[in-house]
Amino acid sequence: MIMGSGTIVQNLANEGLIEEYVFFVTPVVAGNGNPLFKQVRQFGLTLKETTAFKSGNVIMRYELKNIRTVPL
Protein backbone atom coordinates (compact mmCIF):
# COMPACT_ATOMS: atom_id res chain seq x y z
CA MET A 1 0.00 0.00 0.00
CA ILE A 2 1.26 3.43 -0.95
CA MET A 3 -0.22 6.51 0.68
CA GLY A 4 0.47 10.09 -0.32
CA SER A 5 3.20 9.63 -2.92
CA GLY A 6 2.13 10.61 -6.42
CA THR A 7 5.60 10.13 -7.90
CA ILE A 8 5.90 6.50 -6.80
CA VAL A 9 2.34 5.76 -7.93
CA GLN A 10 3.05 7.27 -11.36
CA ASN A 11 6.22 5.22 -11.84
CA LEU A 12 4.65 1.94 -10.73
CA ALA A 13 1.48 2.52 -12.79
CA ASN A 14 3.48 3.25 -15.94
CA GLU A 15 5.35 -0.03 -15.48
CA GLY A 16 2.07 -1.94 -15.04
CA LEU A 17 2.99 -2.97 -11.49
CA ILE A 18 -0.25 -1.91 -9.74
CA GLU A 19 -3.08 -4.43 -9.89
CA GLU A 20 -5.51 -2.70 -7.54
CA TYR A 21 -6.30 0.89 -6.59
CA VAL A 22 -8.08 1.87 -3.38
CA PHE A 23 -9.26 5.47 -3.11
CA PHE A 24 -10.27 7.05 0.18
CA VAL A 25 -12.41 10.08 -0.67
CA THR A 26 -13.25 12.80 1.84
CA PRO A 27 -15.84 15.33 0.61
CA VAL A 28 -13.69 18.45 0.86
CA VAL A 29 -12.70 20.74 -2.00
CA ALA A 30 -9.13 21.86 -1.44
CA GLY A 31 -8.83 24.03 -4.54
CA ASN A 32 -5.22 23.07 -5.28
CA GLY A 33 -2.73 20.24 -5.08
CA ASN A 34 -0.87 17.83 -7.31
CA PRO A 35 -2.82 15.48 -9.60
CA LEU A 36 -2.19 11.83 -8.72
CA PHE A 37 -2.21 10.62 -12.34
CA LYS A 38 -0.61 13.54 -14.17
CA GLN A 39 2.14 11.54 -15.93
CA VAL A 40 0.44 8.13 -16.12
CA ARG A 41 -0.44 6.15 -19.22
CA GLN A 42 -4.15 5.70 -19.83
CA PHE A 43 -5.71 2.48 -18.52
CA GLY A 44 -9.18 1.25 -17.62
CA LEU A 45 -10.41 0.43 -14.13
CA THR A 46 -13.30 -1.73 -12.97
CA LEU A 47 -15.06 -0.79 -9.74
CA LYS A 48 -15.06 -3.84 -7.43
CA GLU A 49 -16.27 -2.48 -4.10
CA THR A 50 -17.49 0.69 -2.41
CA THR A 51 -18.01 1.52 1.24
CA ALA A 52 -19.80 4.73 2.22
CA PHE A 53 -19.72 6.16 5.73
CA LYS A 54 -22.14 8.49 7.54
CA SER A 55 -19.40 11.15 7.54
CA GLY A 56 -19.59 11.28 3.74
CA ASN A 57 -16.24 9.53 3.29
CA VAL A 58 -16.16 6.80 0.66
CA ILE A 59 -13.72 3.97 0.01
CA MET A 60 -13.63 2.68 -3.58
CA ARG A 61 -11.66 -0.38 -4.71
CA TYR A 62 -10.78 -0.73 -8.39
CA GLU A 63 -8.94 -3.37 -10.41
CA LEU A 64 -7.34 -2.96 -13.82
CA LYS A 65 -9.85 -3.47 -16.62
CA ASN A 66 -7.20 -4.45 -19.15
CA ILE A 67 -3.47 -4.43 -19.58
CA ARG A 68 -3.42 -2.34 -22.79
CA THR A 69 -1.83 1.03 -22.18
CA VAL A 70 -1.56 4.13 -24.35
CA PRO A 71 1.83 5.88 -24.56
CA LEU A 72 2.15 9.22 -22.77
Side-chain angles (χ1 to χ4, degrees):
M1 177 180 281
I2 300 171
M3 296 177 68
S5 178
T7 303
I8 292 172
V9 170
Q10 290 175 14
N11 291 334
L12 293 174
N14 282 329
E15 295 297 325
L17 297 174
I18 301 176
E19 297 176 355
E20 178 179 85
Y21 291 84
V22 180
F23 298 103
F24 299 84
V25 178
T26 300
V28 173
V29 177
N32 59 18
N34 295 323
L36 182 58
F37 297 107
K38 184 176 182 180
Q39 298 292 324
V40 175
R41 299 169 193 238
Q42 182 179 349
F43 54 89
L45 296 174
T46 301
L47 181 63
K48 292 296 185 178
E49 180 181 5
T50 61
T51 305
F53 299 91
K54 291 179 182 179
S55 64
N57 295 340
V58 180
I59 299 174
M60 297 170 290
R61 185 175 66 87
Y62 290 88
E63 292 179 352
L64 288 179
K65 183 179 284 187
N66 55 40
I67 304 301
R68 185 179 76 89
T69 58
V70 176
L72 292 173

